[in-house]
């Protein structure tokens, strides 16, 4: 499987021969593709919209994302990771998320957060190389597992280190059953629809999500439609199960559904009636998995990140070859 | 490895060609085999005893189990999973457990629990397909991993969703060292012996366990003896380590030992003096693992399920090819 | 890959033909090599220093370690594990750690702790056989994963069993951010340097670490230098991140860094400028991972053990083939 579009990894498990590294002129589009690959898009124009969305949510967050993308891409170059992967942005997107996560979860006002964004992005590239090999055994792409692993270590470890945590109180607690009104009004619905796309980068604002979604449409109208479908499935499932309305409105129960829908319908599995159905089941499942993982991380003060997307998509992609109604892309 | 008896999965990792689906006339025995496969038996008569045991514990639980078996089997048919697996009941047993778990842990009095039994059973079939491929790499069957994964998500997530949890208090807490009398009388011993078989389906009643054990003997007298051995090893180990007597009597420390003994002596490894010894070591180990996993799930409000059986058996089956004294069946 | 030096496992996944078992005359050096393999050394002289270090920390701990090594080695012989692995000490080192852990964490004054040291060492050999097969898929050695898995089960389960726990209070709690002075004086630095080596066997005394380090130098001067480098990196990283000084001084934040440095520079990857850099990145990463796993195990009352070393090294070894600057040894 050699994916041109999407973060389908080059799955060679043997040592990879070094390719000529990209020239400096290609640096900007490579970085932008790194941002876009978070949502499986391999388009610099899409990445430009993503950068705009991040800067719209706060210039520091935009900078955190760019630093993460640049550091992880540079790490891949220094250690001579396969050049095709670098150019496609596949060595940048986990760093983009690690960098942003360092800003959001450790606080953009501390120098230490900027240093950890860089250090974490170095680590993300090594974790990526490890997972390309591990998951390649079953022809499965890394998804955002490298980000999830790196950012989980970073955010769970942070309170143990006083120069990272700066005396704040801890986040760990015991799980309490969810409470609060569950009814959704029109304003909740449309805000949730866009926030689901923004929360992939940890942002709750609807207009940030609008910019992200516009970027996806610029890269591929079909992907834009599928992402929208995923967002709707996430909202409907969360409402049906009885999530608090304010969590739905903030996009916390739907961002994984957006990513799962994209992965299962068009990116890794060819579009068909069956893959649409599969994507809907997957997106709905990921909403349940979001609840479980949110509880799982509560006693250790961890964040849910995109673990629900990664784990759900891993299961659904592993299962696909045994289900003859589904076909791989590429 | 192509197992006729036992949940040895068809381990093809390549896409499977669709076979003709089973005719409606075969539906009843297929469902009953689905129940029986929870204990590795591929016998409709055994499944009839299992159904009787479940209805004896409460008609709603019997219905939950049948719905789970039917929905997961049907899901496999719709998505064209290999027909041999369906007919053998291998696409039903995880659904049987997911359905029963939904009834037991979410409450049989709520409509939402019935809907989640069905939804979870759809998911269990997809998880099964994923694990057939993943574990097939090492020629390892899925065991009840698909049930454990699906039911863990379902039960840990439930308190996050108000329409599933209905305002009950949470289960999460911090681990406290076990307390209570550890001495076992005769009445404790024989109740524990049968309850160990019943708890595989989350039931504590000795007469329910008696019916389950009778079903195993109907399918295979050897398997009945091995299951009995596992139950005894579970009791002895738990007593020796100092478990509270009331937990032993309820079967909570021995149901994994029953399943481990079956798996390691007769189902996946050929019966011999050495595999009996291996099964005894495995069954005793699983009792210790039960204590560890019970603690592990406490802070997130999760249930131990058959995780100890799955993880212990996984390790012992992975190890078997390096131990020349042991031979695979089939 | 057939490693002469270091715990590189014989990675055959097919059933292994039995070799003639070692004669009794070879028993003593085999046991000593078992101790030495904890730090990847295959030298009986090194093992003698390790035994001296353990007895220096307390004669009971020395005895726990020897019993663990002997029982796990004997288990491998009884079940006919490949004789080359036994002679190299590769079937002893996880038992050495399990035995010592049983003494340290369950209390050396209880008969039950001695029995669990033996039982756990039987289990460690089976877990080793399982992981040789599992990790062999990617040409990865078992590291101390078998110890980590067995000792995690043992220590997390112990409070559930009254004859193991003897009425002590539980260890489980919620994570609180670290506190306490972070400045390091000269006495902190040199104590931490040696304690980092001692804590691999759970000991905090600097002179115990000195004896361990001397043993490594006896086996290989290069390995001694690399272990020292790892210890320094662990101290510098922990100080830079802001760990409490008393934890650094006790070696709690650097013992994983020592093992990671050894693994990535000389044992599994050939020594070069690049592998030194890789080892430094890995050792620093493992210090962060130590913080994360310490928090992860807090709510279940577990211990960090050498999980940070195992997981960090697993990732870095999986990644290595994709990074052409690095070469495997052997």
């Amino acid at each position: 499987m050699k994916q041109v579009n999407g973060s389908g990894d080059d799955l060679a498990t043997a040592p990879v021969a070094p390719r000529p590294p990209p020239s400096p002129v290609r640096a900007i589009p490579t970085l932008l593709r790194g941002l876009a690959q978070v949502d499986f898009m391999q388009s610099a124009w899409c990445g430009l919209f993503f950068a705009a969305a991040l800067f719209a949510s706060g210039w520091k967050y935009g900078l955190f994302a760019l630093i993460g993308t640049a550091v992880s891409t540079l790490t891949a170059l220094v250690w001579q990771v396969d050049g095709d992967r670098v150019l496609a942005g596949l060595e940048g997107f986990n760093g983009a998320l690690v960098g942003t996560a360092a800003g959001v979860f450790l606080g953009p006002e501390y120098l230490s957060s900027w240093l950890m964004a860089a250090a974490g992005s170095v680590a993300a590239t090594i974790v990526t190389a490890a997972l390309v090999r591990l998951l390649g055994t079953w022809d499965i792409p890394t998804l955002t597992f490298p980000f999830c692993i790196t950012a989980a270590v970073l955010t769970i470890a942070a309170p143990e280190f006083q120069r990272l945590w700066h005396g704040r109180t801890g986040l760990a607690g015991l799980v309490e059953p969810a409470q609060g009104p569950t009814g959704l009004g029109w304003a909740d619905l449309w805000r949730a629809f866009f926030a689901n796309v923004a929360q992939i980068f940890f942002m709750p604002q609807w207009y940030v999500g609008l910019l992200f979604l516009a970027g996806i449409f610029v890269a591929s109208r079909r992907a834009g439609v599928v992402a929208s479908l995923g967002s709707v499935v996430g909202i409907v499932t969360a409402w049906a199960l009885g999530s608090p309305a304010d969590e739905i409105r903030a996009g916390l129960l739907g961002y994984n559904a957006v990513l799962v829908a994209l992965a299962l319908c068009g990116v890794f599995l060819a579009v068909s009636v069956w893959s649409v159905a599969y994507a809907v089941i997957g997106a709905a499942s990921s909403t349940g998995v979001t609840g479980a993982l949110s509880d799982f991380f509560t006693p250790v003060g961890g964040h849910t990140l995109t673990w629900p997307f990664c784990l759900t998509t891993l299961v659904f992609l592993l299962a696909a070859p045994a289900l003859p109604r589904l076909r791989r892309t590429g």
Side-chain angles (χ1 to χ4, degrees), chain A:
Chain A
M1 180 194 68
K2 182 82 175 186
Q3 305 256 352
V4 177
N5 183 17
S7 46
D9 299 293
D10 190 336
L11 296 160
T13 54
V16 179
R19 315 274 174 85
S23 68
V25 151
R26 295 171 171 176
I28 300 290
T30 298
L31 289 187
L32 292 175
R33 277 192 293 269
L35 288 179
Q37 284 283 10
V38 170
D39 290 5
F40 310 108
M41 300 299 111
Q42 188 176 321
S43 149
W45 291 110
C46 171
L48 206 58
F49 274 84
F50 282 24
L54 287 162
F55 279 96
S57 73
W59 67 269
K60 285 187 177 172
Y61 296 130
L63 212 53
F64 267 107
L66 287 181
I67 287 174
T69 315
V71 170
S72 59
T73 303
L74 210 63
T75 305
L77 287 175
V78 168
W79 289 92
Q80 295 185 338
V81 170
D82 175 48
D84 287 350
R85 285 186 55 84
V86 175
L87 277 177
L90 292 173
E91 296 293 333
F93 72 103
N94 283 289
L97 288 168
V98 168
T100 315
V104 170
F105 297 124
L106 302 183
E109 67 270 38
Y110 303 114
L111 172 62
S112 60
S113 305
W114 296 88
L115 295 173
M116 293 317 294
S121 298
V122 172
T125 296
I126 295 170
V127 178
T128 297
L131 290 183
V132 166
R133 182 151 169 241
L134 184 76
L135 296 174
T137 308
W138 302 278
D139 206 20
I140 302 284
T142 65
L143 308 173
T144 51
F145 273 115
F147 151 65
C148 286
I149 292 170
T150 310
V153 168
L154 191 58
T155 54
I156 294 175
E160 290 290 313
F161 299 116
Q162 297 176 59
R163 276 188 250 281
L164 303 187
W165 201 245
H166 305 282
R168 285 171 285 181
T169 52
L171 303 177
L174 282 171
V175 176
E176 299 285 345
Q179 289 182 317
T182 57
L184 294 176
W186 174 243
D188 297 316
L189 288 174
W190 69 261
R191 281 168 193 271
F193 176 80
F194 291 115
N196 281 345
V197 190
Q199 280 286 2
I200 295 170
F201 276 91
F202 331 110
M203 301 302 159
Q205 305 93 332
W206 66 267
Y207 54 89
V208 173
L210 177 62
L211 279 167
F212 276 117
L213 189 58
I216 299 175
F217 268 102
V218 164
S220 157
R221 268 174 294 179
R222 197 176 61 190
V225 171
V226 172
S228 303
L229 173 69
S231 183
V232 169
V233 171
I235 294 169
V236 170
T237 309
W239 171 81
L241 294 173
S243 296
D246 55 354
E247 291 186 15
I248 296 178
R249 190 174 52 238
L252 291 172
L253 282 141
Y255 65 100
N256 288 286
V258 171
L259 290 171
V260 169
L262 282 167
L264 298 182
C265 185
V267 174
F268 302 116
L269 300 178
V271 177
S272 72
V273 175
W274 288 100
S275 75
V276 170
Y278 204 57
V280 168
I281 298 174
S285 300
S286 76
T287 306
V289 173
T290 300
L293 288 176
S294 159
D295 282 4
F296 181 80
F297 284 116
T298 297
V300 293
H303 298 275
T304 309
L305 308 176
T306 48
W307 282 109
F309 151 64
C310 286
L311 293 170
T312 306
T313 304
L314 175 66
V315 166
F316 277 66
L317 287 183
L318 275 172
L323 310 175
R325 296 199 185 279
L326 300 170
R327 297 268 168 255
R328 293 290 290 244
T329 51

